[in-house]
């Protein structure tokens, strides 16, 4: 009969326990497994496919043709079974043949069956087989049935591994090659470092999956939870960054996950099904990984990474295998390697020895990256398969700026790396010497250089770089690192702290830019149903619809700026009426504050971000109502060219120095100047010296860029003759220009002695 409760999964495990304990051959055991599972599910077919010599071989079946056993084979990615194994994903189909990956194998006789459900058999984070069931009638399998199949798959992984039926799945102790190797990744925290490779933790292999005593397993998990929570509380209390910041909020959010009763309940339910404590934790962890693969929203995925980090810690605790590299101690300068890390795990390492981190996964918004930035540790992410290509003790040369790491370098590579590092340090010192020197061109024109920020700690870059102010403070960062919606008082405290540190220097606060690829689970702003999230329900569109969110932020900003000038900017304005509505909302909150006798700002300056090309067609309507205009070149470029900036096939195709984008920006700048409205560029384009030079050449004299770009851009400005540049830009854009002006502008800069390094 079909499964109806977790207790049915336990009944299956009890029967499987007897099968595993028997001394019969492995093939006989697998034949029994498909009979047991097929009967429990009430389906006509249950099959097991195992990975053998790189292909998935039908190894046992109940319902398919017996002559197909050991004959039917599928490549990884081929058919439904191959898709499950390749992607380590679950398939639950009421009509199997309708799936694009369906591949018919006539020898199996499966044409009689319509519905299909399959789960991967995972061994050491790798799919080594597939367990599948089928029914003659179309039907969707219930969640409890899929859960039971996943639980059985865990037990199967132990059975087939012990029988030696699958290809070896371990990561080799040494990589296949010992030659020098360059491994590419994603820039997460900039910096250069050299050190020996150290793996964060050994893989914990679960040897026993079926519980003998459920209550004993439950007690082990409870004890492990208590011990893990004590460790995290202690680490959070001992973490020292100085001055507070978002990393403190990250740790508080991380602690909240550790005390999450829902997570503990899911592990308990897995124990109820008959799994050991270790297997139950791994079972829930596998479910988390599968959910992560289905999540397009990077912020929600980052929170799932935190939960997986805690699961790793809990698994080590309950198994007694506590030996991470942090506990064992770092003996030399180290580059740490991990699939992923949680913020608390990073804090365990000796900061004197930890020189850098390389992750197989990771993203810019992950909690561990915020903590790493506060620690000053460079991090490279998305370094695919690095744990298979690098061995413990290998020398690594990490250059996050170039998004790569060299493993086992030759002496010549080491020498070149050290020379670059020394040069970078000298350049950094030279740029630091420009801190108090104004960004004035060689012909006496003053350019305004401001920094982009989003974290409380970023504000200190004003003093380090000598920037004129903060041209873009991304207020959404506080929302993204929080597990719940930040209360108005907490928002107000952040904004006031930022203004206090900035002093007399202006700060432009951008209202929350959420939605799209920056979803907040607690506000249900996920873009999973949107085909193109970048052009969807996000930024000001969300804020105007969820006006309670914007009202709270408006009050927080207005109260934080009491007695000072508040500069506020609205993101992704598509038409002037959106700006008008947002401004009216702020003005209503301003009147509310004044009506209650609270001290208001001395003045409020309202600005709009031009990211949507449509707004440029109504500048004559918009400009009389705004105090300033900022161009967000990142989104503007992809909208203008209809090119997704995250698509690698298009990444190099559309250049910021294309005549199209430069002509567009020049037209906007000319209109803003004619209306007497200050205009700035606050996108990544302004942080690159050559691109910044082009912007100055078309009349844009205000740039808001990353703190690291202030020195190089200031050096460029001070070596530049603006009048000569403007004449050259007019000449280049007035003729039939090439696809990009990059080569022409680069040659002109060299000829004129403009510093672009």
């Amino acid at each position: 009969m079909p499964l109806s409760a977790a207790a049915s999964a336990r009944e299956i495990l009890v029967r499987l326990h007897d099968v595993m304990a028997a001394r019969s051959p492995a093939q006989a055991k697998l034949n029994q497994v498909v009979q047991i599972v097929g009967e429990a599910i009430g389906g006509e077919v249950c099959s097991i496919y195992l990975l053998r010599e790189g292909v998935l071989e039908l190894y046992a079946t109940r319902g398919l043709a017996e002559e197909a056993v050991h004959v039917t084979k599928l490549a990884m990615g081929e058919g439904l079974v191959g898709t499950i194994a390749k992607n380590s994903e679950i398939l639950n189909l009421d009509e199997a043949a309708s799936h694009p990956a369906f591949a018919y194998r006539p020898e199996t006789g499966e044409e009689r069956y319509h519905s299909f459900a399959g789960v991967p058999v995972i061994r050491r984070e790798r799919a080594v087989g597939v367990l599948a069931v089928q029914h003659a009638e179309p039907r969707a399998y219930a969640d409890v049935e899929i859960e039971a199949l996943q639980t059985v798959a865990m037990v199967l992984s132990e059975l087939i591994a012990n029988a030696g039926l699958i290809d070896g799945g371990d990561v080799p102790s040494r990589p296949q090659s010992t030659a020098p190797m360059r491994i590419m990744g994603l820039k997460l925290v900039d910096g250069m470092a050299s050190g020996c490779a150290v793996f964060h933790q050994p893989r914990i292999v679960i040897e026993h999956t079926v519980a003998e005593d459920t209550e004993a397993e439950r007690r082990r998990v409870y004890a492990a939870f208590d011990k893990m929570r004590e460790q995290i509380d202690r680490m959070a209390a001992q973490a020292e960054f100085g001055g507070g910041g978002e990393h403190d909020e990250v740790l508080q959010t991380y602690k909240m996950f550790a005390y999450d009763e829902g997570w503990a309940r899911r592990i308990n339910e897995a124990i109820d099904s008959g799994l050991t404590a270790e297997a139950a934790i791994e079972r829930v962890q596998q479910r988390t990984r599968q959910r992560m693969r289905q999540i397009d929203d990077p912020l929600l995925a980052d929170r799932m990474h935190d939960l997986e980090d805690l699961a790793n810690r809990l698994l080590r605790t309950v198994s007694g295998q506590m030996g991470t590299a942090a506990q064992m101690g770092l003996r030399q300068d180290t580059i740490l390697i991990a699939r992923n890390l949680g913020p608390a795990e990073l804090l365990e390492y000796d900061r004197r020895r930890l020189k850098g981190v390389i992750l197989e996964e990771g993203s810019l918004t992950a909690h561990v990256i915020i903590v790493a930035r506060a620690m000053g540790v460079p991090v490279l992410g998305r370094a695919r398969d690095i744990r298979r290509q690098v061995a413990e003790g290998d020398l690594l040369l990490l250059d996050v700026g170039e998004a790569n790491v060299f493993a086992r370098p030759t002496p010549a590579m080491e020498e070149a790396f050290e020379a670059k590092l020394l040069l970078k340090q000298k350049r950094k010192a030279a740029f630091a010497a420009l801190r108090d020197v104004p960004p004035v061109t060689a012909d006496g024109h003053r350019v305004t250089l401001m920094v982009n920020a989003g974290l409380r700690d970023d504000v200190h870059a004003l003093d380090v770089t000598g920037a004129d102010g903060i041209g873009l403070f991304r207020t959404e960062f506080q929302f993204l690192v929080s597990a719940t919606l930040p209360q108005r008082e907490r928002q107000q405290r952040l904004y006031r702290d930022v203004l206090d540190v900035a002093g007399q220097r202006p700060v432009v606060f951008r209202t929350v830019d959420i939605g799209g690829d920056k979803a907040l689970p607690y506000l249900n702003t996920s873009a999973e149903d949107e085909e193109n999230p970048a052009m969807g329900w996000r930024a000001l569109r969300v804020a105007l619809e969820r006006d309670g969110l914007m009202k709270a932020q408006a009050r927080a900003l207005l109260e934080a700026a009491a007695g000072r000038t508040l500069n506020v900017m609205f993101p992704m304005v598509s038409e002037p009426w959106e700006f008008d509505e947002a401004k009216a909302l702020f003005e209503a909150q301003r009147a509310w504050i004044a009506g209650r006798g609270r001290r208001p700002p001395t003045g409020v300056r309202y600005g709009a971000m031009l990211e949507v090309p449509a707004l440029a067609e109504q500048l004559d309507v918009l400009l009389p109502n705004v105090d300033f205009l900022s161009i967000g070149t990142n989104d503007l470029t992809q909208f203008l060219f209809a090119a997704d900036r995250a698509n690698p096939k298009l990444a190099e195709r559309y250049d910021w120095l294309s005549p199209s984008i430069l002509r567009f920006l020049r037209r906007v700048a000319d209109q803003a100047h004619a209306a007497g409205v200050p205009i700035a560029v606050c996108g990544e384009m302004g942080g690159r010296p050559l691109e910044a030079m082009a912007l100055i050449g078309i009349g844009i004299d205000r740039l808001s860029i990353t703190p690291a770009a202030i020195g190089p851009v200031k050096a460029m400005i001070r070596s530049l003759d603006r009048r000569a540049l403007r004449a050259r830009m007019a000449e280049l854009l007035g003729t039939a220009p090439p696809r990009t002006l990059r080569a022409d502008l680069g040659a002109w800069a060299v000829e004129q002695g403009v510093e672009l390094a």
Side-chain angles (χ1 to χ4, degrees), residues 218 221-222 225 229 260-272 284:
R218 199 184 320 280
V221 163
Y222 284 150
F225 263 110
R229 289 164 176 168
D260 178 37
E261 290 303 322
W263 179 42
R265 184 181 65 254
R266 288 191 294 274
I267 293 174
N268 257 316
E269 289 171 352
I271 290 175
D272 285 339
V284 174

Side-chain angles (χ1 to χ4, degrees), residues 355-647:
K355 300 302 179 183
V357 174
I358 303 174
L359 303 175
E360 285 190 340
E361 297 178 1
S363 72
L364 282 164
T365 50
H367 285 170
V368 69
I369 300 308
I370 294 172
V371 173
R373 190 182 297 117
M375 293 173 66
V377 176
V379 183
L380 181 72
R382 310 280 175 87
R384 304 296 184 194
D385 287 332
I386 190 165
R387 292 182 298 167
R388 294 179 182 273
Q389 300 179 69
V390 170
E392 291 260 6
D394 280 350
L395 177 62
L396 302 178
L397 304 179
L398 176 62
D399 188 346
V400 179
E402 296 294 331
N404 66 35
V405 59
F406 281 97
R408 303 175 294 275
T410 64
M413 290 177 181
E414 287 187 64
E415 186 176 339
F417 181 86
E418 292 298 330
K420 181 178 179 180
L421 181 59
L422 181 61
L423 180 61
K424 188 170 184 177
Q425 291 167 344
K426 288 181 178 179
R427 297 281 304 162
K428 188 175 180 181
F431 292 144
L434 294 176
R435 185 188 67 176
D436 300 320
V437 177
V440 178
T441 63
D443 55 331
H445 185 81
R446 178 67 156 84
V447 177
T448 299
L449 285 186
M450 307 178 85
V451 294
N452 298 333
L455 304 173
R456 186 184 280 108
D457 294 336
D458 292 345
V459 183
H460 296 289
L462 287 174
D463 294 326
V464 174
T465 63
D468 294 312
I470 298 175
L472 170 63
F473 190 89
R474 301 179 176 95
T475 60
E476 65 270 13
F477 278 19
Q478 186 184 31
F479 292 74
L480 297 177
V481 301
S482 299
T484 58
L485 181 68
Q487 296 300 307
R488 179 173 56 83
E489 294 78 10
R490 188 167 142 213
Q491 294 182 49
Q492 181 182 331
R493 188 164 59 249
L494 169 64
Y495 306 147
R496 186 173 55 245
D497 289 349
V498 170
L499 289 167
D500 287 344
V501 174
Q504 298 300 311
R505 292 163 294 194
V507 179
V508 178
F509 290 98
R510 183 178 72 184
T511 58
V512 287
D513 182 359
I514 56 174
D517 62 350
K518 292 182 281 192
L520 304 179
Y522 52 81
L523 282 183
N524 191 27
T525 59
S526 174
E528 61 183 37
D529 296 327
E530 298 190 53
E531 291 187 9
N532 195 333
M535 295 185 180
W537 193 59
R538 53 170 287 211
L540 191 59
R541 298 166 182 175
V542 173
L544 290 176
E545 182 170 325
R546 299 282 185 90
D547 61 353
L549 169 68
M550 196 169 190
K551 286 176 182 177
Q553 184 174 38
R555 282 181 57 190
L557 283 165
L558 290 162
E559 291 175 350
R564 295 180 272 209
T565 298
L566 173 65
N567 297 285
V568 63
M569 176 168 66
F570 305 121
M572 205 178 176
V573 178
S574 302
E575 297 187 273
W577 66 263
E578 294 175 323
F579 172 84
D580 295 339
E581 284 195 11
K583 180 179 177 180
L585 186 151
F586 261 76
E587 285 297 304
Q589 294 304 306
R590 187 181 183 186
W592 187 92
I593 290 170
R596 280 156 180 75
R598 300 180 185 177
R599 190 183 181 196
T602 55
V604 181
R605 299 177 69 247
Y606 293 100
M609 283 198 76
L610 195 159
E611 303 166 275
V612 181
L615 188 61
E617 298 305 318
Q618 295 202 64
L619 286 179
D620 58 326
V621 178
L622 177 74
L623 289 173
N625 299 320
V626 299
D627 296 299
F628 61 94
L629 189 68
S630 287
I631 301 174
T633 51
N634 293 355
D635 271 333
L636 176 64
T637 303
Q638 70 171 347
F639 295 154
L640 198 62
F641 286 123
D644 184 355
R645 66 190 186 200
N647 187 330

